[in-house]
Amino acid sequence: MKPTYTKVFPSLWQGTLRGQGVAQLVFLYMLGNADAEGTFDEHPQAIVDATGFSLAEIRSAIEVLEGPDHESRSPADEGRRIRLMDSHRTWGWRLVNHAKYRER
């Protein structure tokens, strides 16, 4: 696996995820573990194992990240942060604005 890096912007703490610690940290984990194209292909249990949060907390955070955010700074995909990669499974995501922030 090629090492990648992720730029982290203050807007992560200043936007609509503000005050949602588990969702913020799950998103940071996804950002840090996505490949260069913005693909995060891990099962929620792997996030549990890595973060120490419960599976219920992880699933709740993923629900927030998958959901539309009508107050988002980005209109892409109705403000969603992640989108499932495949319709035949319930895990593995693409980070919606990964390329946009990687280019910044």
Side-chain angles (χ1 to χ4, degrees):
M1 178 196 298
K2 285 182 174 179
T4 62
Y5 72 94
T6 299
K7 299 173 187 175
V8 177
F9 296 92
S11 59
L12 181 63
W13 291 273
Q14 299 163 351
T16 55
L17 280 181
R18 181 181 63 257
Q20 298 184 59
V22 177
Q24 285 176 327
L25 292 174
V26 168
F27 193 44
L28 276 171
Y29 181 82
M30 289 178 163
L31 288 167
N33 289 281
D35 67 16
E37 285 76 42
T39 300
F40 176 80
D41 197 17
E42 290 188 23
H43 191 276
Q45 187 61 49
I47 305 170
V48 168
D49 296 343
T51 64
F53 292 120
S54 71
L55 185 56
E57 289 173 306
I58 297 301
R59 290 196 189 283
S60 179
I62 288 170
E63 211 172 279
V64 168
L65 299 171
E66 284 181 323
D69 180 355
H70 301 293
E71 293 186 350
S72 174
R73 290 180 179 95
S74 171
D77 209 353
E78 296 181 65
R80 288 176 175 83
R81 294 165 182 89
I82 61 175
R83 174 66 77 181
L84 273 173
M85 290 173 27
D86 301 309
S87 60
H88 68 277
R89 60 183 177 149
T90 60
W91 59 277
W93 296 269
R94 295 202 189 287
L95 306 180
V96 173
N97 287 318
H98 186 267
K100 173 185 168 182
Y101 285 100
R102 191 169 171 97
E103 292 172 8
R104 270 175 95 179

